[in-house]
Amino acid sequence: MRPALLVIDVQCGLFDDAPRPFEADLVVARINALAAKARTAGAPVVWIQHERAEGLLAHGSESWQLESQLQTQAGDCFVRKATPDSFLRTPLADLLAERGVDHLVICGYATEFCVDTTTRRAMALGYPVTLVGDAHTTHDKAHASAETIRAHHNATLSSISSFGPRTAVLAADAVVFEGASRGAHPD
């Protein structure tokens, strides 16, 4: 299998101001390590940025920019989106098809919105998914802590079988990219 790393919505307006997302600095460090492993293996790295017409996350604004500690490189791909679904009205599906991608490794923000929706849509489109269980995050909510939300989604998304393709949840240090022929899987 040929994997791609999708990094969803790790942007200044979502990460920089207090209160910050759960384990924000650790998540960014894990994403950087995943991106480095993906590039070494020849797997595409896709940075996905949410945008709004105005205000927080307005396209091109400071809040829309990727979080400053993220390490992008020439050759990485960038996708703009306006819904929680990274595939809806974006070039993502075409970009993946052009590169022969058939397995997605997903991380980023927000666990219960864009990460969840993109993971479900990926399975519906036929992609097996590796959800990096410690490299997606969100903010605390009135009904549950961010840590609880992440744990809930790791359990829920890995339990869905009705799409056909499944979601495996792995810690960042367990994800291995083996390039065009093997995909991302645990050791």
Side-chain angles (χ1 to χ4, degrees):
M1 289 201 293
R2 178 154 170 78
L5 176 64
L6 304 187
V7 183
I8 301 171
D9 299 351
V10 182
Q11 295 166 258
C12 292
L14 304 170
F15 272 69
D16 289 351
D17 295 332
R20 297 181 71 218
F22 174 65
E23 293 190 338
D25 292 328
L26 290 172
V27 168
V28 169
R30 290 172 185 139
I31 289 170
N32 283 333
L34 287 162
K37 286 196 282 188
R39 289 184 200 104
T40 297
V45 176
V46 183
W47 303 95
I48 299 168
Q49 291 167 271
H50 196 88
E51 64 184 49
R52 297 182 178 136
E54 57 187 70
L56 184 70
L57 304 182
H59 178 257
S61 69
E62 184 176 325
S63 66
W64 178 82
Q65 302 303 320
L66 291 174
E67 199 278 340
S68 63
Q69 298 303 308
L70 289 173
Q71 299 166 358
T72 63
Q73 290 189 3
D76 289 353
C77 305
F78 298 85
V79 172
R80 296 165 46 192
K81 69 177 182 63
T83 74
D85 181 347
S86 297
F87 290 93
L88 183 62
R89 295 187 297 273
T90 75
L92 181 59
D94 290 339
L95 183 153
L96 298 173
E98 289 167 5
R99 287 159 179 79
V101 170
D102 59 5
H103 181 110
L104 300 178
V105 178
I106 296 178
C107 57
Y109 181 92
T111 298
E112 74 278 28
F113 294 110
C114 301
V115 171
D116 177 271
T117 302
T118 299
T119 299
R120 291 173 191 262
R121 180 71 184 275
M123 288 187 292
L125 292 172
Y127 292 99
V129 173
T130 298
L131 177 63
V132 189
D134 58 357
H136 64 91
T137 190
T138 193
H139 283 87
D140 289 340
K141 303 297 188 282
H143 67 281
S145 70
E147 183 175 17
T148 299
I149 293 167
R150 181 164 77 180
H152 170 81
H153 279 31
N154 285 343
T156 301
L157 291 169
S158 63
S159 297
I160 298 172
S161 61
S162 57
F163 289 114
R166 301 290 302 260
T167 293
V169 177
L170 296 176
D173 62 359
V175 175
V176 177
F177 292 88
E178 292 190 1
S181 63
R182 300 284 304 226
H185 61 83
D187 283 335

